[in-house]
Amino acid sequence: MERTLSIIKPDGVTRGLIGEVIRRLEKNDIRIVGMKMLWMTREQARGFYAVHRERPFFDSLTNFMSSGPVVVMVLEGENVIEKNRTLMGATDPTKAAEGTIRRDFATEIEKNVVHGSDAPETAAFEIGYFFNRFEIVA
Ligand code: ATP
Ligand code: MG
């Protein structure tokens, strides 16, 4: 059994897509074992996306991620890291496959509705960034 971190980004929350994203996860047999809504400070967003700190889009991305509330979730399931990434679709919505969350709802490469961890190591870091062990149901 694997775990991953999912975030419904500020654009997804603002546009009323919380239910739609969760519906797609549950429909694909992904179990939500932790969930909360929060509004990151700029510093929290910069810490979360620290791997991207040298990228040209870092300031814009972290400003966006701290521009409104997000929903953070711990997802559990077999191969759930990859499974969630497949449901999300490619980073750039114009390149995302049909039927994916980003293809169906994202408006641009930055405001792309969802985040998902990309490997077991990043999943562990990202889950620990937002959740303590009492906030994840067994
Ligand atoms: P995420 O990590 O959010 O799940 P991802 O793994 O598909 O997305 P990354 O390369 O990790 O993509 O980029 C992190 C986020 O930074 C993207 O989801 C997007 O919001 C933003 N981003 C990535 N590339 C660009 C870009 N070229 N211009 C603007 N924003 C970008
Ligand atoms: Mg990423």
PDB file of all heavy atoms in Angstrom, residues 41-77:
ATOM      1  N   THR A  41       0.784  30.482   3.935  1.00  0.00           N
ATOM      2  CA  THR A  41       1.516  31.746   3.810  1.00  0.00           C
ATOM      3  C   THR A  41       2.473  31.584   2.630  1.00  0.00           C
ATOM      4  O   THR A  41       2.731  30.470   2.157  1.00  0.00           O
ATOM      5  CB  THR A  41       2.347  32.045   5.070  1.00  0.00           C
ATOM      6  OG1 THR A  41       3.351  31.015   5.193  1.00  0.00           O
ATOM      7  CG2 THR A  41       1.468  32.060   6.319  1.00  0.00           C
ATOM      8  N   ARG A  42       3.034  32.713   2.185  1.00  0.00           N
ATOM      9  CA  ARG A  42       4.009  32.629   1.105  1.00  0.00           C
ATOM     10  C   ARG A  42       5.207  31.765   1.532  1.00  0.00           C
ATOM     11  O   ARG A  42       5.708  30.954   0.757  1.00  0.00           O
ATOM     12  CB  ARG A  42       4.462  34.035   0.735  1.00  0.00           C
ATOM     13  CG  ARG A  42       5.356  34.062  -0.480  1.00  0.00           C
ATOM     14  CD  ARG A  42       5.613  35.468  -0.932  1.00  0.00           C
ATOM     15  NE  ARG A  42       4.363  36.161  -1.242  1.00  0.00           N
ATOM     16  CZ  ARG A  42       4.298  37.407  -1.687  1.00  0.00           C
ATOM     17  NH1 ARG A  42       5.400  38.102  -1.875  1.00  0.00           N
ATOM     18  NH2 ARG A  42       3.138  37.969  -1.962  1.00  0.00           N
ATOM     19  N   GLU A  43       5.625  31.919   2.768  1.00  0.00           N
ATOM     20  CA  GLU A  43       6.761  31.137   3.263  1.00  0.00           C
ATOM     21  C   GLU A  43       6.455  29.638   3.279  1.00  0.00           C
ATOM     22  O   GLU A  43       7.313  28.811   2.945  1.00  0.00           O
ATOM     23  CB  GLU A  43       7.191  31.602   4.666  1.00  0.00           C
ATOM     24  CG  GLU A  43       8.084  32.827   4.664  1.00  0.00           C
ATOM     25  CD  GLU A  43       9.165  32.790   3.581  1.00  0.00           C
ATOM     26  OE1 GLU A  43       9.955  31.823   3.549  1.00  0.00           O
ATOM     27  OE2 GLU A  43       9.218  33.721   2.749  1.00  0.00           O
ATOM     28  N   GLN A  44       5.254  29.281   3.685  1.00  0.00           N
ATOM     29  CA  GLN A  44       4.862  27.861   3.671  1.00  0.00           C
ATOM     30  C   GLN A  44       4.855  27.313   2.245  1.00  0.00           C
ATOM     31  O   GLN A  44       5.285  26.189   2.000  1.00  0.00           O
ATOM     32  CB  GLN A  44       3.485  27.672   4.322  1.00  0.00           C
ATOM     33  CG  GLN A  44       3.527  27.793   5.841  1.00  0.00           C
ATOM     34  CD  GLN A  44       2.134  27.835   6.458  1.00  0.00           C
ATOM     35  OE1 GLN A  44       1.172  28.345   5.861  1.00  0.00           O
ATOM     36  NE2 GLN A  44       2.004  27.291   7.648  1.00  0.00           N
ATOM     37  N   ALA A  45       4.365  28.106   1.311  1.00  0.00           N
ATOM     38  CA  ALA A  45       4.345  27.673  -0.094  1.00  0.00           C
ATOM     39  C   ALA A  45       5.768  27.535  -0.629  1.00  0.00           C
ATOM     40  O   ALA A  45       6.086  26.588  -1.356  1.00  0.00           O
ATOM     41  CB  ALA A  45       3.538  28.663  -0.936  1.00  0.00           C
ATOM     42  N   ARG A  46       6.639  28.457  -0.245  1.00  0.00           N
ATOM     43  CA  ARG A  46       8.043  28.388  -0.701  1.00  0.00           C
ATOM     44  C   ARG A  46       8.743  27.162  -0.121  1.00  0.00           C
ATOM     45  O   ARG A  46       9.561  26.519  -0.794  1.00  0.00           O
ATOM     46  CB  ARG A  46       8.787  29.677  -0.324  1.00  0.00           C
ATOM     47  CG  ARG A  46       8.285  30.881  -1.115  1.00  0.00           C
ATOM     48  CD  ARG A  46       8.888  32.189  -0.622  1.00  0.00           C
ATOM     49  NE  ARG A  46      10.267  32.353  -1.056  1.00  0.00           N
ATOM     50  CZ  ARG A  46      10.640  32.943  -2.185  1.00  0.00           C
ATOM     51  NH1 ARG A  46       9.737  33.400  -3.017  1.00  0.00           N
ATOM     52  NH2 ARG A  46      11.902  33.064  -2.491  1.00  0.00           N
ATOM     53  N   GLY A  47       8.414  26.822   1.105  1.00  0.00           N
ATOM     54  CA  GLY A  47       8.993  25.624   1.715  1.00  0.00           C
ATOM     55  C   GLY A  47       8.477  24.360   1.048  1.00  0.00           C
ATOM     56  O   GLY A  47       9.227  23.405   0.807  1.00  0.00           O
ATOM     57  N   PHE A  48       7.194  24.370   0.723  1.00  0.00           N
ATOM     58  CA  PHE A  48       6.604  23.194   0.089  1.00  0.00           C
ATOM     59  C   PHE A  48       7.216  22.931  -1.283  1.00  0.00           C
ATOM     60  O   PHE A  48       7.527  21.790  -1.636  1.00  0.00           O
ATOM     61  CB  PHE A  48       5.086  23.367  -0.053  1.00  0.00           C
ATOM     62  CG  PHE A  48       4.431  22.202  -0.729  1.00  0.00           C
ATOM     63  CD1 PHE A  48       4.231  21.016  -0.042  1.00  0.00           C
ATOM     64  CD2 PHE A  48       4.051  22.276  -2.053  1.00  0.00           C
ATOM     65  CE1 PHE A  48       3.658  19.914  -0.664  1.00  0.00           C
ATOM     66  CE2 PHE A  48       3.478  21.177  -2.685  1.00  0.00           C
ATOM     67  CZ  PHE A  48       3.282  20.006  -1.985  1.00  0.00           C
ATOM     68  N   TYR A  49       7.387  23.986  -2.077  1.00  0.00           N
ATOM     69  CA  TYR A  49       7.915  23.844  -3.435  1.00  0.00           C
ATOM     70  C   TYR A  49       9.416  24.139  -3.509  1.00  0.00           C
ATOM     71  O   TYR A  49       9.925  24.524  -4.571  1.00  0.00           O
ATOM     72  CB  TYR A  49       7.151  24.757  -4.400  1.00  0.00           C
ATOM     73  CG  TYR A  49       5.880  24.140  -4.981  1.00  0.00           C
ATOM     74  CD1 TYR A  49       4.648  24.774  -4.851  1.00  0.00           C
ATOM     75  CD2 TYR A  49       5.913  22.937  -5.694  1.00  0.00           C
ATOM     76  CE1 TYR A  49       3.480  24.231  -5.402  1.00  0.00           C
ATOM     77  CE2 TYR A  49       4.755  22.386  -6.250  1.00  0.00           C
ATOM     78  CZ  TYR A  49       3.549  23.038  -6.103  1.00  0.00           C
ATOM     79  OH  TYR A  49       2.409  22.500  -6.658  1.00  0.00           O
ATOM     80  N   ALA A  50      10.133  23.940  -2.406  1.00  0.00           N
ATOM     81  CA  ALA A  50      11.570  24.269  -2.341  1.00  0.00           C
ATOM     82  C   ALA A  50      12.385  23.596  -3.455  1.00  0.00           C
ATOM     83  O   ALA A  50      13.371  24.164  -3.920  1.00  0.00           O
ATOM     84  CB  ALA A  50      12.135  23.897  -0.979  1.00  0.00           C
ATOM     85  N   VAL A  51      11.972  22.429  -3.908  1.00  0.00           N
ATOM     86  CA  VAL A  51      12.713  21.758  -4.996  1.00  0.00           C
ATOM     87  C   VAL A  51      12.740  22.609  -6.271  1.00  0.00           C
ATOM     88  O   VAL A  51      13.616  22.430  -7.107  1.00  0.00           O
ATOM     89  CB  VAL A  51      12.137  20.363  -5.372  1.00  0.00           C
ATOM     90  CG1 VAL A  51      12.399  19.349  -4.290  1.00  0.00           C
ATOM     91  CG2 VAL A  51      10.664  20.431  -5.724  1.00  0.00           C
ATOM     92  N   HIS A  52      11.768  23.518  -6.384  1.00  0.00           N
ATOM     93  CA  HIS A  52      11.683  24.345  -7.597  1.00  0.00           C
ATOM     94  C   HIS A  52      12.271  25.744  -7.399  1.00  0.00           C
ATOM     95  O   HIS A  52      12.057  26.621  -8.236  1.00  0.00           O
ATOM     96  CB  HIS A  52      10.223  24.503  -8.031  1.00  0.00           C
ATOM     97  CG  HIS A  52       9.588  23.228  -8.516  1.00  0.00           C
ATOM     98  ND1 HIS A  52      10.225  22.360  -9.366  1.00  0.00           N
ATOM     99  CD2 HIS A  52       8.370  22.674  -8.268  1.00  0.00           C
ATOM    100  CE1 HIS A  52       9.417  21.325  -9.618  1.00  0.00           C
ATOM    101  NE2 HIS A  52       8.304  21.487  -8.957  1.00  0.00           N
ATOM    102  N   ARG A  53      13.032  25.949  -6.291  1.00  0.00           N
ATOM    103  CA  ARG A  53      13.422  27.338  -5.966  1.00  0.00           C
ATOM    104  C   ARG A  53      14.304  28.008  -7.009  1.00  0.00           C
ATOM    105  O   ARG A  53      14.317  29.234  -7.097  1.00  0.00           O
ATOM    106  CB  ARG A  53      14.058  27.430  -4.571  1.00  0.00           C
ATOM    107  CG  ARG A  53      15.351  26.679  -4.404  1.00  0.00           C
ATOM    108  CD  ARG A  53      15.803  26.738  -2.937  1.00  0.00           C
ATOM    109  NE  ARG A  53      16.933  25.836  -2.744  1.00  0.00           N
ATOM    110  CZ  ARG A  53      16.804  24.531  -2.464  1.00  0.00           C
ATOM    111  NH1 ARG A  53      15.612  24.011  -2.276  1.00  0.00           N
ATOM    112  NH2 ARG A  53      17.859  23.769  -2.364  1.00  0.00           N
ATOM    113  N   GLU A  54      15.004  27.226  -7.830  1.00  0.00           N
ATOM    114  CA  GLU A  54      15.849  27.830  -8.878  1.00  0.00           C
ATOM    115  C   GLU A  54      15.086  28.073 -10.183  1.00  0.00           C
ATOM    116  O   GLU A  54      15.623  28.662 -11.122  1.00  0.00           O
ATOM    117  CB  GLU A  54      17.063  26.939  -9.177  1.00  0.00           C
ATOM    118  CG  GLU A  54      17.893  26.528  -7.969  1.00  0.00           C
ATOM    119  CD  GLU A  54      18.552  27.721  -7.277  1.00  0.00           C
ATOM    120  OE1 GLU A  54      18.717  28.773  -7.946  1.00  0.00           O
ATOM    121  OE2 GLU A  54      18.872  27.597  -6.081  1.00  0.00           O
ATOM    122  N   ARG A  55      13.854  27.590 -10.259  1.00  0.00           N
ATOM    123  CA  ARG A  55      13.104  27.718 -11.516  1.00  0.00           C
ATOM    124  C   ARG A  55      12.581  29.143 -11.709  1.00  0.00           C
ATOM    125  O   ARG A  55      12.235  29.820 -10.742  1.00  0.00           O
ATOM    126  CB  ARG A  55      11.897  26.761 -11.516  1.00  0.00           C
ATOM    127  CG  ARG A  55      12.240  25.313 -11.284  1.00  0.00           C
ATOM    128  CD  ARG A  55      12.750  24.648 -12.553  1.00  0.00           C
ATOM    129  NE  ARG A  55      12.598  23.205 -12.400  1.00  0.00           N
ATOM    130  CZ  ARG A  55      11.556  22.523 -12.878  1.00  0.00           C
ATOM    131  NH1 ARG A  55      10.611  23.135 -13.564  1.00  0.00           N
ATOM    132  NH2 ARG A  55      11.479  21.227 -12.687  1.00  0.00           N
ATOM    133  N   PRO A  56      12.475  29.567 -12.969  1.00  0.00           N
ATOM    134  CA  PRO A  56      11.990  30.932 -13.232  1.00  0.00           C
ATOM    135  C   PRO A  56      10.560  31.169 -12.735  1.00  0.00           C
ATOM    136  O   PRO A  56      10.188  32.300 -12.451  1.00  0.00           O
ATOM    137  CB  PRO A  56      12.068  31.052 -14.759  1.00  0.00           C
ATOM    138  CG  PRO A  56      12.188  29.655 -15.269  1.00  0.00           C
ATOM    139  CD  PRO A  56      12.867  28.855 -14.200  1.00  0.00           C
ATOM    140  N   PHE A  57       9.769  30.097 -12.629  1.00  0.00           N
ATOM    141  CA  PHE A  57       8.367  30.271 -12.238  1.00  0.00           C
ATOM    142  C   PHE A  57       8.149  30.164 -10.728  1.00  0.00           C
ATOM    143  O   PHE A  57       7.012  30.212 -10.264  1.00  0.00           O
ATOM    144  CB  PHE A  57       7.474  29.265 -12.981  1.00  0.00           C
ATOM    145  CG  PHE A  57       7.841  27.812 -12.779  1.00  0.00           C
ATOM    146  CD1 PHE A  57       7.470  27.119 -11.636  1.00  0.00           C
ATOM    147  CD2 PHE A  57       8.560  27.133 -13.757  1.00  0.00           C
ATOM    148  CE1 PHE A  57       7.795  25.780 -11.458  1.00  0.00           C
ATOM    149  CE2 PHE A  57       8.897  25.789 -13.597  1.00  0.00           C
ATOM    150  CZ  PHE A  57       8.510  25.110 -12.437  1.00  0.00           C
ATOM    151  N   PHE A  58       9.235  30.056  -9.950  1.00  0.00           N
ATOM    152  CA  PHE A  58       9.099  29.802  -8.506  1.00  0.00           C
ATOM    153  C   PHE A  58       8.309  30.889  -7.771  1.00  0.00           C
ATOM    154  O   PHE A  58       7.391  30.579  -6.993  1.00  0.00           O
ATOM    155  CB  PHE A  58      10.484  29.632  -7.872  1.00  0.00           C
ATOM    156  CG  PHE A  58      10.447  29.349  -6.402  1.00  0.00           C
ATOM    157  CD1 PHE A  58       9.973  28.136  -5.913  1.00  0.00           C
ATOM    158  CD2 PHE A  58      10.896  30.300  -5.488  1.00  0.00           C
ATOM    159  CE1 PHE A  58       9.944  27.870  -4.547  1.00  0.00           C
ATOM    160  CE2 PHE A  58      10.864  30.038  -4.121  1.00  0.00           C
ATOM    161  CZ  PHE A  58      10.395  28.829  -3.646  1.00  0.00           C
ATOM    162  N   ASP A  59       8.629  32.160  -7.986  1.00  0.00           N
ATOM    163  CA  ASP A  59       7.939  33.243  -7.271  1.00  0.00           C
ATOM    164  C   ASP A  59       6.453  33.282  -7.639  1.00  0.00           C
ATOM    165  O   ASP A  59       5.593  33.385  -6.774  1.00  0.00           O
ATOM    166  CB  ASP A  59       8.580  34.601  -7.585  1.00  0.00           C
ATOM    167  CG  ASP A  59       9.866  34.804  -6.786  1.00  0.00           C
ATOM    168  OD1 ASP A  59      10.057  34.092  -5.778  1.00  0.00           O
ATOM    169  OD2 ASP A  59      10.671  35.665  -7.186  1.00  0.00           O
ATOM    170  N   SER A  60       6.199  33.175  -8.937  1.00  0.00           N
ATOM    171  CA  SER A  60       4.819  33.206  -9.401  1.00  0.00           C
ATOM    172  C   SER A  60       4.035  32.017  -8.842  1.00  0.00           C
ATOM    173  O   SER A  60       2.913  32.159  -8.331  1.00  0.00           O
ATOM    174  CB  SER A  60       4.822  33.193 -10.927  1.00  0.00           C
ATOM    175  OG  SER A  60       3.510  33.133 -11.405  1.00  0.00           O
ATOM    176  N   LEU A  61       4.636  30.841  -8.899  1.00  0.00           N
ATOM    177  CA  LEU A  61       3.979  29.625  -8.406  1.00  0.00           C
ATOM    178  C   LEU A  61       3.667  29.729  -6.912  1.00  0.00           C
ATOM    179  O   LEU A  61       2.555  29.414  -6.471  1.00  0.00           O
ATOM    180  CB  LEU A  61       4.882  28.407  -8.665  1.00  0.00           C
ATOM    181  CG  LEU A  61       4.460  27.094  -8.005  1.00  0.00           C
ATOM    182  CD1 LEU A  61       3.110  26.601  -8.544  1.00  0.00           C
ATOM    183  CD2 LEU A  61       5.527  26.004  -8.222  1.00  0.00           C
ATOM    184  N   THR A  62       4.625  30.185  -6.120  1.00  0.00           N
ATOM    185  CA  THR A  62       4.407  30.213  -4.667  1.00  0.00           C
ATOM    186  C   THR A  62       3.465  31.360  -4.276  1.00  0.00           C
ATOM    187  O   THR A  62       2.725  31.235  -3.294  1.00  0.00           O
ATOM    188  CB  THR A  62       5.755  30.281  -3.919  1.00  0.00           C
ATOM    189  OG1 THR A  62       6.553  31.347  -4.452  1.00  0.00           O
ATOM    190  CG2 THR A  62       6.501  28.968  -4.062  1.00  0.00           C
ATOM    191  N   ASN A  63       3.452  32.445  -5.062  1.00  0.00           N
ATOM    192  CA  ASN A  63       2.436  33.487  -4.835  1.00  0.00           C
ATOM    193  C   ASN A  63       1.045  32.937  -5.120  1.00  0.00           C
ATOM    194  O   ASN A  63       0.107  33.154  -4.351  1.00  0.00           O
ATOM    195  CB  ASN A  63       2.693  34.710  -5.728  1.00  0.00           C
ATOM    196  CG  ASN A  63       3.851  35.541  -5.225  1.00  0.00           C
ATOM    197  OD1 ASN A  63       4.227  35.464  -4.056  1.00  0.00           O
ATOM    198  ND2 ASN A  63       4.424  36.342  -6.099  1.00  0.00           N
ATOM    199  N   PHE A  64       0.930  32.227  -6.215  1.00  0.00           N
ATOM    200  CA  PHE A  64      -0.356  31.603  -6.565  1.00  0.00           C
ATOM    201  C   PHE A  64      -0.809  30.618  -5.491  1.00  0.00           C
ATOM    202  O   PHE A  64      -1.959  30.644  -5.043  1.00  0.00           O
ATOM    203  CB  PHE A  64      -0.226  30.902  -7.924  1.00  0.00           C
ATOM    204  CG  PHE A  64      -1.302  29.897  -8.215  1.00  0.00           C
ATOM    205  CD1 PHE A  64      -2.646  30.255  -8.195  1.00  0.00           C
ATOM    206  CD2 PHE A  64      -0.971  28.568  -8.502  1.00  0.00           C
ATOM    207  CE1 PHE A  64      -3.642  29.316  -8.455  1.00  0.00           C
ATOM    208  CE2 PHE A  64      -1.957  27.631  -8.765  1.00  0.00           C
ATOM    209  CZ  PHE A  64      -3.296  28.004  -8.735  1.00  0.00           C
ATOM    210  N   MET A  65       0.100  29.767  -5.040  1.00  0.00           N
ATOM    211  CA  MET A  65      -0.274  28.731  -4.069  1.00  0.00           C
ATOM    212  C   MET A  65      -0.663  29.316  -2.708  1.00  0.00           C
ATOM    213  O   MET A  65      -1.334  28.653  -1.918  1.00  0.00           O
ATOM    214  CB  MET A  65       0.858  27.715  -3.916  1.00  0.00           C
ATOM    215  CG  MET A  65       1.038  26.809  -5.132  1.00  0.00           C
ATOM    216  SD  MET A  65      -0.417  25.808  -5.536  1.00  0.00           S
ATOM    217  CE  MET A  65      -0.353  24.583  -4.205  1.00  0.00           C
ATOM    218  N   SER A  66      -0.240  30.562  -2.452  1.00  0.00           N
ATOM    219  CA  SER A  66      -0.607  31.207  -1.190  1.00  0.00           C
ATOM    220  C   SER A  66      -1.686  32.282  -1.403  1.00  0.00           C
ATOM    221  O   SER A  66      -1.954  33.077  -0.516  1.00  0.00           O
ATOM    222  CB  SER A  66       0.637  31.804  -0.527  1.00  0.00           C
ATOM    223  OG  SER A  66       1.287  32.713  -1.399  1.00  0.00           O
ATOM    224  N   SER A  67      -2.332  32.262  -2.559  1.00  0.00           N
ATOM    225  CA  SER A  67      -3.313  33.292  -2.900  1.00  0.00           C
ATOM    226  C   SER A  67      -4.721  32.968  -2.408  1.00  0.00           C
ATOM    227  O   SER A  67      -5.625  33.792  -2.518  1.00  0.00           O
ATOM    228  CB  SER A  67      -3.350  33.496  -4.419  1.00  0.00           C
ATOM    229  OG  SER A  67      -3.904  32.351  -5.055  1.00  0.00           O
ATOM    230  N   GLY A  68      -4.921  31.781  -1.877  1.00  0.00           N
ATOM    231  CA  GLY A  68      -6.250  31.385  -1.414  1.00  0.00           C
ATOM    232  C   GLY A  68      -6.178  30.025  -0.780  1.00  0.00           C
ATOM    233  O   GLY A  68      -5.113  29.392  -0.756  1.00  0.00           O
ATOM    234  N   PRO A  69      -7.314  29.559  -0.242  1.00  0.00           N
ATOM    235  CA  PRO A  69      -7.307  28.261   0.427  1.00  0.00           C
ATOM    236  C   PRO A  69      -7.063  27.095  -0.530  1.00  0.00           C
ATOM    237  O   PRO A  69      -7.386  27.163  -1.713  1.00  0.00           O
ATOM    238  CB  PRO A  69      -8.697  28.158   1.063  1.00  0.00           C
ATOM    239  CG  PRO A  69      -9.521  29.207   0.417  1.00  0.00           C
ATOM    240  CD  PRO A  69      -8.611  30.238  -0.156  1.00  0.00           C
ATOM    241  N   VAL A  70      -6.480  26.054   0.009  1.00  0.00           N
ATOM    242  CA  VAL A  70      -6.269  24.802  -0.722  1.00  0.00           C
ATOM    243  C   VAL A  70      -6.852  23.663   0.113  1.00  0.00           C
ATOM    244  O   VAL A  70      -7.064  23.818   1.308  1.00  0.00           O
ATOM    245  CB  VAL A  70      -4.763  24.521  -0.980  1.00  0.00           C
ATOM    246  CG1 VAL A  70      -4.142  25.616  -1.848  1.00  0.00           C
ATOM    247  CG2 VAL A  70      -3.990  24.364   0.330  1.00  0.00           C
ATOM    248  N   VAL A  71      -7.092  22.531  -0.538  1.00  0.00           N
ATOM    249  CA  VAL A  71      -7.471  21.316   0.178  1.00  0.00           C
ATOM    250  C   VAL A  71      -6.307  20.340   0.035  1.00  0.00           C
ATOM    251  O   VAL A  71      -5.892  20.034  -1.088  1.00  0.00           O
ATOM    252  CB  VAL A  71      -8.773  20.694  -0.370  1.00  0.00           C
ATOM    253  CG1 VAL A  71      -9.050  19.336   0.274  1.00  0.00           C
ATOM    254  CG2 VAL A  71      -9.950  21.626  -0.133  1.00  0.00           C
ATOM    255  N   VAL A  72      -5.754  19.920   1.166  1.00  0.00           N
ATOM    256  CA  VAL A  72      -4.656  18.949   1.123  1.00  0.00           C
ATOM    257  C   VAL A  72      -5.190  17.594   1.578  1.00  0.00           C
ATOM    258  O   VAL A  72      -5.936  17.504   2.538  1.00  0.00           O
ATOM    259  CB  VAL A  72      -3.440  19.386   1.986  1.00  0.00           C
ATOM    260  CG1 VAL A  72      -2.754  20.584   1.366  1.00  0.00           C
ATOM    261  CG2 VAL A  72      -3.834  19.679   3.406  1.00  0.00           C
ATOM    262  N   MET A  73      -4.791  16.562   0.862  1.00  0.00           N
ATOM    263  CA  MET A  73      -5.284  15.214   1.159  1.00  0.00           C
ATOM    264  C   MET A  73      -4.151  14.196   1.127  1.00  0.00           C
ATOM    265  O   MET A  73      -3.251  14.292   0.279  1.00  0.00           O
ATOM    266  CB  MET A  73      -6.319  14.783   0.109  1.00  0.00           C
ATOM    267  CG  MET A  73      -7.598  15.574   0.135  1.00  0.00           C
ATOM    268  SD  MET A  73      -8.734  15.059  -1.178  1.00  0.00           S
ATOM    269  CE  MET A  73      -8.041  15.917  -2.583  1.00  0.00           C
ATOM    270  N   VAL A  74      -4.231  13.223   2.016  1.00  0.00           N
ATOM    271  CA  VAL A  74      -3.365  12.054   1.930  1.00  0.00           C
ATOM    272  C   VAL A  74      -4.181  10.953   1.266  1.00  0.00           C
ATOM    273  O   VAL A  74      -5.278  10.615   1.726  1.00  0.00           O
ATOM    274  CB  VAL A  74      -2.890  11.588   3.321  1.00  0.00           C
ATOM    275  CG1 VAL A  74      -1.965  10.378   3.189  1.00  0.00           C
ATOM    276  CG2 VAL A  74      -2.194  12.720   4.070  1.00  0.00           C
ATOM    277  N   LEU A  75      -3.660  10.435   0.176  1.00  0.00           N
ATOM    278  CA  LEU A  75      -4.348   9.378  -0.571  1.00  0.00           C
ATOM    279  C   LEU A  75      -3.623   8.064  -0.367  1.00  0.00           C
ATOM    280  O   LEU A  75      -2.399   8.028  -0.271  1.00  0.00           O
ATOM    281  CB  LEU A  75      -4.373   9.718  -2.067  1.00  0.00           C
ATOM    282  CG  LEU A  75      -4.874  11.104  -2.455  1.00  0.00           C
ATOM    283  CD1 LEU A  75      -4.849  11.258  -3.976  1.00  0.00           C
ATOM    284  CD2 LEU A  75      -6.261  11.363  -1.904  1.00  0.00           C
ATOM    285  N   GLU A  76      -4.393   6.995  -0.325  1.00  0.00           N
ATOM    286  CA  GLU A  76      -3.795   5.674  -0.111  1.00  0.00           C
ATOM    287  C   GLU A  76      -4.342   4.690  -1.145  1.00  0.00           C
ATOM    288  O   GLU A  76      -5.519   4.758  -1.513  1.00  0.00           O
ATOM    289  CB  GLU A  76      -4.115   5.190   1.309  1.00  0.00           C
ATOM    290  CG  GLU A  76      -3.370   3.932   1.710  1.00  0.00           C
ATOM    291  CD  GLU A  76      -3.672   3.561   3.149  1.00  0.00           C
ATOM    292  OE1 GLU A  76      -4.719   2.934   3.395  1.00  0.00           O
ATOM    293  OE2 GLU A  76      -2.867   3.909   4.025  1.00  0.00           O
ATOM    294  N   GLY A  77      -3.500   3.799  -1.569  1.00  0.00           N
ATOM    295  CA  GLY A  77      -3.927   2.766  -2.499  1.00  0.00           C
ATOM    296  C   GLY A  77      -2.718   2.113  -3.133  1.00  0.00           C
ATOM    297  O   GLY A  77      -1.585   2.560  -2.945  1.00  0.00           O
TER     298      GLY A  77
END
